[in-house]
Amino acid sequence: MITLDLTLPDTRYPIHIGRGLLDQVELLLPHLPIPKVAIVTNTVVAPLYLVRLQKKLAEHDVEVTPIILPDGEDHKTPGNTESHFRRTAAWSLRTKNYADCPRGGVIGDMTGFAAACYQRGAPFIQIPTTLLAQVDSSVGGKTAINHPLGKNMIGAFYQPKVVIADTELLATLPTRELSAGLAEVIKYGLLGDASFLSWLEEHMEALLAQDPDALQYAIRRSCEMKANIVQQDEKESGIRALLNLGHTFGHAIETGLGYGAWLHGEAVAAGMVLAAAASAAMGWITADDVLRVETLISRAGLPIKSPDLGVAQWLELMGHDKKVESGTIRYVLLKALGHAIIQPGLPKSVMTKLLTGRHIIATEQSARQS
Amino acid sequence: MITLDLTLPDTRYPIHIGRGLLDQVELLLPHLPIPKVAIVTNTVVAPLYLVRLQKKLAEHDVEVTPIILPDGEDHKTPGNTESHFRRTAAWSLRTKNYADCPRGGVIGDMTGFAAACYQRGAPFIQIPTTLLAQVDSSVGGKTAINHPLGKNMIGAFYQPKVVIADTELLATLPTRELSAGLAEVIKYGLLGDASFLSWLEEHMEALLAQDPDALQYAIRRSCEMKANIVQQDEKESGIRALLNLGHTFGHAIETGLGYGAWLHGEAVAAGMVLAAAASAAMGWITADDVLRVETLISRAGLPIKSPDLGVAQWLELMGHDKKVESGTIRYVLLKALGHAIIQPGLPKSVMTKLLTGRHIIATEQSARQS
C-alpha cells in the first residue's frame, strides 16, 4: 500500500492506494468518530461489495445504512441528492458520516455534494471502485450535480476525510469503464509530465490487462499530480484549471448528446484530441504530436473523434461551461506534450475548422455502444 | 459609517454600518469585478429599494438582473433555490455575482446557499434590510434552506464579499419585524456581554423609536460580537454554538408551528426565556435573573411564552436540530446573564417541568398576529 497526503489550508487527508484495501477496515475506522455510517453506492456496485464492507464494519460495531442509487451520469440529479438528504435525515442527526463506493465519479460527486450541504457539512469518505474515480474524481474535493443547462453546475469544494483506492476492485470493471479511466490517466501525462506519457505508451497493454504493478503506478502518479495541483489551488482560481484538459470540449459532448450517451472519460478523450488539434493550429505542437496523442488514446480503447454537434451548438454548450470567464471560453491547450496552459479564447477560424474537421464524425455514428 | 473587518483563514470582508449606505455604490463596486449582478430580493423589498439600487448601479454601467422571490421563511425551499439557479444560468456564466437585499434572513440565507453552490461558488454581497439580518444572519457565512425534517438542514458555510447595513432602510420595517431583530440583539447581551445587556435595558425605548445613534450602536456591538466569535470558530466546531442561544427551542417552535407562523426572532425570544428558565432550574441564575430576561424581551415587543407543542413533540423536534451530537441535545444555557455555555443534555425532570410550565401557553393562543 502507498499512502499519499493531501494538505490544504484547513484540512489534510490520506489517499491509500493498493490491493485488498476494502477489507482493511482499520483504514476506515479512525474516520468514523461515531459508529454509524450511510454507505451510498449504486445498483451495480452494491451486489459486488456492499455486503462485504458492511460485514467487516459490523465486526467493529459500526451500524451501516445503505443508500443504493441508480447507476449513471444521468442520475446525478437534484432529485437523487434530495433522496440522500431524506434518507440520511431519517436516521439521526450529527450521528452522520457518509461513505461512498462509487462506480465512476457519479455517486462520489453526488454524495460529496450531499455531504457538503447536509447540516452544512457531514464527514465523508471516498472508496472509489472505478479507475476514473480512483485517479481523478475521488481526489481533490470537487463535488457537484448536473443541471439541464450544464454539467456539474451546482456543487461545492468539499474534501473527504480519506480516499481508499483498492485496485483489486477494478477486476470487476467492464473494459469500457477501464478505458474511460485511462482517459484521465493520459490527461495527467499530457498536461504535466512527458515522461509519464512515455511510460503510458510503454505500459498501455499492461494497464489494459490490469497488471497490478502497472495499475498501482498509474494511479499513484495520477493522484500525486492531482494532489500537487490541488494543494496549490484548491478552489480553481488558477492552475487547477489545467486539470480540465479535454473537459471543455468533453462537457459539451456530454451535454450535447445527453448525459450517459458517452462515458465521461470517453468525452474527455475525444475532447483531448480536439485540444491537441487546437494546439497544433496555434502552432505550439506538431501534427506528429497530435498523431501521438490520437494513437495513445486509441490504444486505450477510447474514441478520438467527437460527435458532430454543429459549430453553433458546440459554441453554445462550451459557452455554458463553468470555465467561461467574462464571456471568453478558457481553453486548456498544450504548449508541448506534457505542458498544458490556459488560453483565453481562440480565433473563430480555428474553432470553425476544428469543429467541422477531421476530428469530428457524424452524430449518428457517434453514439457508442458498451 | 463604521466599518468592521471579519478575518478568516481564507477570506476577509468588511461590514459597513451607517445611514444612507444604499446610495453609496462605491461600497459595492470594488466587489463587482464583472459589471453584471443578479440582485435577489423579495416582493416586499423590491418596490422599496430595488429600482433605486438598480439606477445607481446603472450609472456605473452595471447590468442588473433582478430575481424577486416570495417573502417569508416558508419560501426558503429547494424549489426557490432551484429558481435562482435557473434564472442565473439563463444569463451567462462566470459573469456572475449575487447580491441580495433580504428583508429578514430568508433571502440572504437562500441566496447565500445558491451562491455557494452555483458553479461551486459565485461571489455574493449582503445588503440586509431588516434589523435581524443586519445584526445576525448577514454576518458570518451561515447559509441554508429548510427541509421538512428541520430548519436550515441543507446549507453551507459561505462568506459574502461585503456586508452593507444601511440603518435608514429600517425606517420602512414593520414594528413586529423590528422587534424580531431585537431578539437577536438581546441574545448578544445575554450570551456574552452583561454591560451591553444593561445598555439595552436603558435604550430599549430609543431602539423601538429607531433613534439612529442607538440603532447604529446596537448593530455595531452585535456585529462586533458575532465577528469575534466567527473569527475564532467559523465552522461551529466549538464556541460558535453559543450564538444558538434560544435557537434549539426556537427552531422547534418554528418547525412545530410550521415555518412562518412565528417570525424567527419571536421564536428565538421565547426560546431564550426557556433557556433562562432551564439555567435557573440548574441553579446557575436566579428567578430574578429570569424575570429580568423576560422583562427586557417583553419590552422589546416579543413573546415570552412558547406554544404548547406537548413534551413529546418538543423533544422530537429538538432531537432533529443540527445542534444534536451523538444523540444528545446540546443546549446553550446561561451560567450568568452575559455568560452562555454549552450544556450537553438536561435531566428529563427539568425538561418536563420546563416544557409544561409557566413559560408555555396553549397552542391555540400562540399564533401571533402581525
Side-chain angles (χ1 to χ4, degrees):
Chain A
M1 182 179 82
I2 293 158
T3 299
L4 307 174
D5 254 310
L6 205 158
T7 306
L8 294 164
D10 55 5
T11 186
R12 179 187 172 152
Y13 59 93
I15 302 160
H16 303 299
I17 304 164
R19 278 180 79 76
L21 304 190
L22 190 68
D23 294 324
Q24 296 182 32
V25 278
E26 63 275 16
L27 298 175
L28 278 173
L29 294 174
H31 306 285
L32 298 174
I34 295 154
K36 281 190 184 188
V37 61
I39 298 185
V40 187
T41 188
N42 67 24
T43 48
V44 176
V45 178
L48 294 171
Y49 305 121
L50 181 63
V51 172
R52 186 169 139 198
L53 181 58
Q54 204 163 354
K55 210 183 256 174
K56 278 277 172 194
L57 287 167
E59 287 168 16
H60 295 82
D61 299 318
V62 176
E63 186 188 309
V64 171
T65 303
I67 300 181
I68 301 169
L69 297 172
D71 184 36
E73 187 72 36
D74 46 336
H75 295 291
K76 211 168 83 178
T77 60
N80 276 324
T81 309
E82 167 62 14
S83 165
H84 277 221
F85 294 142
R86 252 184 301 116
R87 299 197 219 182
T88 313
W91 15 310
S92 182
L93 310 183
R94 284 275 177 206
T95 55
K96 50 170 176 117
N97 304 277
Y98 275 112
D100 63 53
C101 290
R103 172 118 287 181
V106 173
I107 296 288
D109 284 4
M110 189 160 54
T111 303
F113 181 59
C117 297
Y118 188 69
Q119 298 195 353
R120 298 194 188 97
F124 93 112
I125 290 167
Q126 293 261 22
I127 310 174
T129 69
T130 63
L131 182 60
L132 186 131
Q134 292 187 353
V135 297
D136 197 66
S137 58
S138 69
V139 172
K142 271 198 179 178
T143 72
I145 56 175
N146 297 327
H147 187 279
L149 279 159
K151 191 173 147 73
N152 293 334
M153 204 48 88
I154 310 298
F157 289 99
Y158 191 70
Q159 304 293 340
K161 294 292 174 194
V162 58
V163 179
I164 296 171
D166 181 351
T167 54
E168 209 173 72
L169 307 188
L170 306 182
T172 56
L173 199 62
T175 313
R176 185 182 169 192
E177 299 219 33
L178 185 72
S179 293
L182 288 171
E184 299 281 0
V185 175
I186 293 168
K187 181 188 81 176
Y188 288 104
L190 282 176
L191 75 86
D193 186 348
S195 65
F196 183 47
L197 196 68
S198 302
W199 183 92
L200 287 171
E201 290 173 322
E202 283 157 36
H203 293 82
M204 188 49 73
E205 274 66 45
L207 289 168
L208 288 167
Q210 298 217 18
D211 173 84
D213 292 341
L215 269 183
Q216 178 161 319
Y217 180 75
I219 295 167
R220 174 210 180 134
R221 188 70 200 110
S222 299
C223 288
E224 270 173 1
M225 289 180 69
K226 178 142 191 187
N228 180 32
I229 288 173
V230 169
Q231 281 170 170
Q232 293 175 63
D233 176 24
E234 182 183 2
K235 303 281 173 70
E236 196 168 319
S237 48
I239 68 154
R240 183 165 181 164
L242 297 178
L243 296 174
N244 297 322
L245 177 64
H247 282 61
T248 299
F249 295 109
H251 285 174
I253 295 172
E254 288 181 272
T255 309
L257 297 183
Y259 299 128
W262 281 32
L263 294 178
H264 175 66
E266 293 168 346
V268 167
M272 289 193 294
V273 173
L274 286 175
S279 307
M282 297 296 280
W284 297 335
I285 65 172
T286 65
D288 278 353
D289 288 333
V290 179
L291 189 62
R292 204 179 142 194
V293 173
E294 288 180 352
T295 305
L296 182 60
I297 286 175
S298 188
R299 282 176 63 206
L302 290 161
I304 55 173
K305 288 186 192 249
S306 292
D308 183 8
L309 304 175
V311 176
Q313 203 198 342
W314 269 108
L315 294 176
E316 162 76 15
L317 289 170
M318 292 195 293
H320 272 293
D321 196 83
K322 292 188 306 304
K323 287 166 284 301
V324 174
E325 196 145 317
S326 322
T328 304
I329 301 173
R330 292 161 73 237
Y331 297 95
V332 183
L333 300 184
L334 298 168
K335 268 285 182 191
L337 298 191
H339 179 198
I341 54 136
I342 292 155
Q343 168 67 21
L346 276 177
K348 195 152 186 215
S349 57
V350 170
M351 284 306 293
T352 306
K353 205 175 147 204
L354 196 67
L355 297 175
T356 55
R358 73 176 188 87
H359 301 292
I360 301 286
I361 48 169
T363 314
E364 56 269 28
Q365 302 173 299
S366 66
R368 288 178 58 81
Q369 308 300 323
S370 50
Chain B
M1 183 179 82
I2 293 159
T3 299
L4 307 175
D5 254 310
L6 204 157
T7 306
L8 294 165
D10 56 4
T11 186
R12 180 187 171 150
Y13 59 94
I15 302 160
H16 303 299
I17 304 163
R19 278 182 78 76
L21 303 190
L22 190 70
D23 294 324
Q24 295 181 35
V25 277
E26 64 275 15
L27 298 176
L28 278 174
L29 295 174
H31 305 285
L32 298 174
I34 296 154
K36 281 191 181 184
V37 61
I39 298 185
V40 186
T41 188
N42 67 25
T43 48
V44 176
V45 178
L48 294 170
Y49 306 120
L50 180 63
V51 172
R52 186 168 138 199
L53 181 57
Q54 204 164 355
K55 209 184 251 174
K56 278 278 171 191
L57 286 167
E59 286 167 17
H60 294 83
D61 299 318
V62 175
E63 187 188 309
V64 171
T65 302
I67 298 181
I68 301 169
L69 296 172
D71 185 34
E73 186 71 37
D74 46 336
H75 295 291
K76 210 167 84 177
T77 60
N80 277 324
T81 308
E82 168 61 16
S83 165
H84 278 220
F85 295 142
R86 253 184 297 116
R87 299 197 219 183
T88 312
W91 17 309
S92 182
L93 309 183
R94 285 274 178 207
T95 56
K96 50 171 177 117
N97 303 277
Y98 276 112
D100 62 55
C101 290
R103 171 121 288 182
V106 175
I107 296 287
D109 284 1
M110 190 160 54
T111 303
F113 181 59
C117 298
Y118 189 68
Q119 298 193 353
R120 300 195 187 95
F124 94 113
I125 289 166
Q126 292 261 22
I127 311 173
T129 69
T130 62
L131 181 59
L132 186 131
Q134 291 186 354
V135 297
D136 196 66
S137 59
S138 69
V139 171
K142 269 198 182 179
T143 71
I145 57 175
N146 296 328
H147 188 280
L149 278 160
K151 191 171 146 77
N152 293 333
M153 202 50 85
I154 311 296
F157 289 98
Y158 191 71
Q159 303 293 339
K161 294 292 176 196
V162 57
V163 179
I164 296 171
D166 181 351
T167 54
E168 209 172 72
L169 307 188
L170 306 183
T172 56
L173 199 61
T175 313
R176 184 182 169 192
E177 300 220 31
L178 185 71
S179 293
L182 288 171
E184 298 281 0
V185 174
I186 293 168
K187 180 188 80 176
Y188 288 105
L190 281 177
L191 75 87
D193 186 348
S195 66
F196 183 46
L197 197 69
S198 302
W199 183 92
L200 286 170
E201 291 174 321
E202 283 157 34
H203 293 84
M204 188 48 73
E205 275 65 46
L207 288 168
L208 288 166
Q210 297 217 17
D211 173 84
D213 292 340
L215 269 184
Q216 179 162 319
Y217 180 74
I219 296 167
R220 175 212 181 132
R221 189 70 198 108
S222 299
C223 287
E224 269 172 1
M225 288 180 70
K226 178 143 193 186
N228 180 33
I229 288 174
V230 170
Q231 281 170 170
Q232 293 175 64
D233 177 23
E234 181 184 5
K235 303 279 173 73
E236 197 168 319
S237 47
I239 69 157
R240 184 166 181 164
L242 297 178
L243 296 173
N244 297 323
L245 177 63
H247 283 61
T248 298
F249 295 108
H251 285 174
I253 296 172
E254 287 181 273
T255 309
L257 298 182
Y259 300 128
W262 281 31
L263 294 178
H264 175 64
E266 292 167 346
V268 168
M272 289 192 294
V273 173
L274 286 176
S279 308
M282 298 295 281
W284 297 335
I285 64 172
T286 65
D288 277 356
D289 287 334
V290 179
L291 189 63
R292 204 178 141 194
V293 173
E294 287 180 352
T295 306
L296 182 60
I297 287 175
S298 188
R299 282 175 62 206
L302 289 161
I304 55 172
K305 287 184 192 252
S306 292
D308 182 8
L309 304 175
V311 176
Q313 202 197 345
W314 270 109
L315 294 176
E316 162 77 16
L317 289 168
M318 291 195 293
H320 273 294
D321 197 81
K322 291 189 305 308
K323 286 167 284 301
V324 174
E325 195 148 316
S326 321
T328 304
I329 301 174
R330 291 161 76 235
Y331 297 95
V332 184
L333 300 183
L334 299 169
K335 268 285 182 190
L337 298 190
H339 179 199
I341 54 134
I342 293 156
Q343 168 66 22
L346 275 178
K348 197 153 184 214
S349 58
V350 170
M351 284 307 292
T352 306
K353 205 175 146 200
L354 195 68
L355 298 175
T356 54
R358 73 175 188 85
H359 301 292
I360 302 286
I361 47 169
T363 315
E364 56 269 27
Q365 301 173 302
S366 68
R368 288 179 57 82
Q369 308 298 326
S370 51

